[in-house]
Amino acid sequence: MTSPRDSHHPLALRSDPASPSGTGTVGDPAIAARLASAEQTLRDISHALAHDLRTSLRHVASYAQLLGDPSYAGQPGQVTRLSHKVMDSTRRLQHLMESVSALARLQAADLRPIRVDVDQMVQVVLRDLQLGQRSHPVSCVLAPGLPPAFADAALLRRVWEELLDNALRHALSHDRPRIEVSCEAVPGGHAYFVHDNGLGFEPEKAAELFGLFQRAQGAPAPSLGVGLALVRRIVECHGGRVWATARPGEGARFGFSLPVGGG
């Protein structure tokens, strides 16, 4: 059990998950905080529908219109190029909708926590992500024996996929890209870290990165701006915390904590 003194540790776990646990009253501050979080999520999703979906749909419509232009009829190379752009935009839309839908549905009551071999999970995710890299490989250093976690395995994998993909994309801005994965014990659980040697970001921007559609600058391949918001939601539903630290030009370090034994 976490003592009051431990709760002041900078990486200490949250005192309550982000979604209802079956207890609490109308005047409970924890309930009020969860309602405020849900309202913010709805506002963020409304922003998604108004901005990112509109932009992606406009791209699809523009490319489709060009495909119908008679001047492209005798240019199979141009038709192929435009067809690929339509498919890329469509896949982006699909990924965006799936991520936003997952963010809206996610509640702590929906979790199916089990004991997860984090060490094996990270290795599998890294292998899958590296297979998808089209540029030069990234050096990946894993601390030996990452401790297991008690979490929903599918959702925890999504956390690692988003954080490692984010690190890989930003590390590619360095001539010798490198990422490191490590862990340390914190009051009530463990904190896991992903560190890249990319361009980093301004320290005052750290909290904003976990908002929906917030994108760090400098990545060779831009993201949808949904992944880190989903990471935060998943971790908080498990009773953990997320954070990020960096200095411009010195890479970034993303971390999250999970309770031992499910909180």
Side-chain angles (χ1 to χ4, degrees), residues 70-124:
S71 64
Y72 284 96
Q75 303 180 52
Q78 290 283 30
V79 170
T80 299
R81 182 180 66 84
L82 289 172
S83 296
H84 287 166
K85 286 185 175 295
V86 170
M87 291 303 300
D88 287 343
S89 294
T90 302
R91 282 192 290 266
R92 181 182 175 88
L93 271 170
Q94 182 179 9
H95 187 194
L96 177 62
M97 289 299 297
E98 289 173 351
S99 296
V100 170
S101 178
L103 186 64
R105 293 195 314 267
L106 186 58
Q107 299 291 330
D110 299 327
L111 304 182
R112 295 178 174 82
I114 60 172
R115 186 181 185 276
V116 179
D117 186 334
V118 173
D119 197 74
Q120 181 183 44
M121 177 176 283
V122 171
Q123 293 184 49
V124 170

Side-chain angles (χ1 to χ4, degrees), residues 127-248:
R127 182 196 64 202
D128 293 346
L129 290 174
Q130 288 278 51
L131 287 175
Q133 293 292 326
R134 297 182 180 181
S135 56
H136 52 292
V138 179
S139 173
C140 301
V141 179
L142 274 63
L146 294 172
F150 190 77
D152 185 298
L155 292 175
L156 183 58
R157 180 185 172 95
R158 185 63 181 270
V159 168
W160 283 111
E161 286 173 344
E162 296 293 350
L163 291 180
L164 291 170
D165 178 66
N166 180 72
L168 287 167
R169 286 185 295 102
H170 284 83
L172 289 173
S173 62
H174 196 282
D175 57 354
R176 286 185 291 181
R178 173 187 174 94
I179 69 171
E180 299 177 11
V181 179
S182 59
C183 180
E184 69 178 61
V186 298
H190 292 100
Y192 301 89
F193 301 92
V194 179
H195 187 186
D196 68 73
N197 65 343
L199 297 176
F201 55 83
E202 298 290 343
E204 61 270 19
K205 300 290 186 181
E208 298 177 7
L209 295 177
F210 294 98
L212 200 56
F213 304 112
Q214 299 297 319
R215 301 173 175 88
Q217 301 299 314
S223 71
L224 289 173
V226 178
L228 292 180
L230 188 57
V231 165
R232 182 184 67 180
R233 184 68 177 167
I234 291 172
V235 170
E236 289 181 351
C237 278
H238 282 82
R241 295 181 186 274
V242 296
W243 60 89
T245 57
R247 291 182 178 179

Side-chain angles (χ1 to χ4, degrees), residues 1-24:
M1 180 176 293
T2 303
S3 69
R5 186 163 60 89
D6 283 341
S7 67
H8 295 295
H9 187 285
L11 304 185
L13 300 168
R14 295 167 58 87
S15 59
D16 61 286
S19 295
S21 59
T23 62

